[in-house]
Amino acid sequence: MTTHIPVGEWQRVKTREVATGDITLRVFDHGEARPGEPPVVLCHGFPELAFSWRHQLFALADAGCRVLVPDMRGYGGSGRPADADAYDILTLCGDLAGILDDVGADDAVFVGHDWGSSVVWNMALEHPGRVRAVAGMSVPVTPRAPAPPLPILRSRLGDDFYMVWFQEPGVADHALSRNVRRTLTAREIYSARWADRVDEEAVPPRWLSEDELGHYVDTFTATGFTGGLNYYRNLDRNWELTAHHEGRTIDCPSLFVTGSKDPVGQFMPAKGLDRVLTDLRGEVVIDGAGHWIQQERPAEVNAALLGFLSAIG
């Protein structure tokens, strides 16, 4: 059974403005802090918002967790620097450290989806002392690539592969913003071919109500998509900036969750997790689930997260 969270209920959640680096992040803050218990920080991907964790925020808080959910840099109510260089992976990790500093927490359990997974995996490599445990969804952690990723992606998957197509400033930005509702209800991976078709019916999936979709559409109509696209425009730069991660492992408790129908698995298979994750507590594959897993299958995702949190103490 699909459940929906009224937008008004989400909008009543307390927020805090967190100054970090060159921007201010809007962070949703729900649940009571308990002595000795780390907060749980939920990091969204593209094109999403803190709102994409609405099912988890309430469930985890009801279970006794303090939950911190930022609109990530470039999204929603957070700062959106114009310079693409402001979105490199070390800066994004610095944003997460800034959230912990703001609430006076030494460390946290970090959970990410899509790009948020890439950020939390790198957070565990860059700032291991601040990561009590880490969970990624959809995008697995992998050993460092032997060369910058974009030439590899271009040669294997072509210029129309979405990560490659996103590289030219202004092109995908315009295409995605032309019909925001269509973009947010797309049933395929973005590409130039997808952008050229303008007659698709923009019907939301069953797990997204018109009210919930409207919240996304209103927000991205106001902000555009450039902030999120700039994450992709740092792929090669991130590879250069993280040379010191070569051979490092993530030694805190970890979890990976994905859907059996997530298309990311076609080009980023979760092979070799144990080459990086030395304390992998589980690899959960939710049968029939697609990419937007925490919204599509919240009950199973919440159960996986609560089980993981209980096991790590």
Side-chain angles (χ1 to χ4, degrees):
M1 178 179 176
T2 301
T3 59
H4 300 289
I5 302 294
V7 172
E9 185 176 352
W10 172 264
Q11 291 172 334
R12 287 191 290 273
V13 175
K14 179 179 68 175
T15 60
R16 57 195 311 120
E17 300 297 310
V18 177
T20 174
D22 56 338
I23 65 162
T24 298
L25 294 173
R26 179 172 67 178
V27 179
F28 291 81
D29 183 353
H30 195 53
E32 297 298 324
R34 295 190 295 180
E37 295 292 328
V40 179
V41 181
L42 306 177
C43 301
H44 68 80
F46 176 85
E48 295 178 289
L49 301 165
F51 182 66
S52 67
W53 293 107
R54 57 199 177 279
H55 301 283
Q56 289 68 45
L57 175 137
F58 293 111
L60 295 178
D62 287 347
C65 301
R66 184 184 187 181
V67 189
L68 302 169
V69 192
D71 279 338
M72 299 289 280
R73 173 181 290 253
Y75 291 89
S78 293
R80 303 188 302 278
D83 185 356
D85 286 351
Y87 296 83
D88 70 83
I89 196 69
L90 299 186
T91 297
L92 297 171
C93 291
D95 288 345
L96 300 188
I99 293 172
L100 298 190
D101 293 341
D102 183 72
V103 300
D106 293 329
D107 59 9
V109 176
F110 288 93
V111 181
H113 172 253
D114 187 77
W115 254 107
S117 291
S118 295
V119 177
V120 301
W121 297 134
N122 277 277
M123 183 70 181
L125 290 166
E126 187 69 16
H127 303 285
R130 309 211 71 175
V131 181
R132 183 81 62 94
V134 61
M137 298 183 190
S138 180
V139 174
V141 66
T142 59
R144 178 175 164 80
L150 277 173
I152 298 172
L153 292 170
R154 184 176 281 110
S155 66
R156 290 181 179 175
L157 299 168
D159 289 339
D160 202 37
F161 181 63
Y162 77 105
M163 294 187 191
V164 180
W165 180 57
F166 284 171
Q167 295 306 308
E168 184 65 30
V171 175
D173 316 53
H174 173 72
L176 297 178
S177 296
R178 188 168 54 215
N179 184 336
V180 172
R181 182 184 172 95
R182 175 179 179 256
T183 295
L184 295 174
T185 56
R187 304 301 173 95
E188 62 184 89
I189 296 175
Y190 306 127
S191 66
R193 288 192 300 274
W194 167 84
D196 287 342
R197 295 197 307 273
V198 296
D199 57 349
E200 282 182 321
E201 187 177 3
V203 178
R206 60 175 176 76
W207 45 264
L208 195 64
S209 71
E210 283 289 343
D211 186 41
E212 292 167 318
L213 175 59
H215 179 71
Y216 280 115
V217 171
D218 290 347
T219 302
F220 279 102
T221 298
T223 66
F225 294 89
T226 299
L229 291 168
N230 282 337
Y231 285 51
Y232 294 93
R233 292 165 184 160
N234 278 276
L235 285 173
D236 282 355
R237 185 162 172 259
N238 289 345
W239 183 83
E240 295 170 357
L241 290 171
T242 57
H244 58 290
H245 291 176
E246 177 72 43
R248 287 189 182 178
T249 56
I250 294 172
D251 302 321
C252 63
S254 58
L255 173 72
F256 180 64
V257 181
T258 192
S260 66
K261 294 186 177 180
D262 190 334
V264 172
Q266 298 174 16
F267 55 87
M268 292 187 70
K271 296 179 179 178
L273 290 174
D274 57 359
R275 293 174 57 192
V276 180
L277 305 174
T278 65
D279 190 7
L280 179 61
R281 301 295 181 91
E283 183 178 349
V284 178
V285 180
I286 298 178
D287 187 49
H291 181 65
W292 315 106
I293 190 167
Q294 78 272 36
Q295 299 179 84
E296 180 184 350
R297 302 286 284 274
E300 291 100 321
V301 168
N302 293 349
L305 291 177
L306 289 169
F308 178 60
L309 293 169
S310 175
I312 64 176

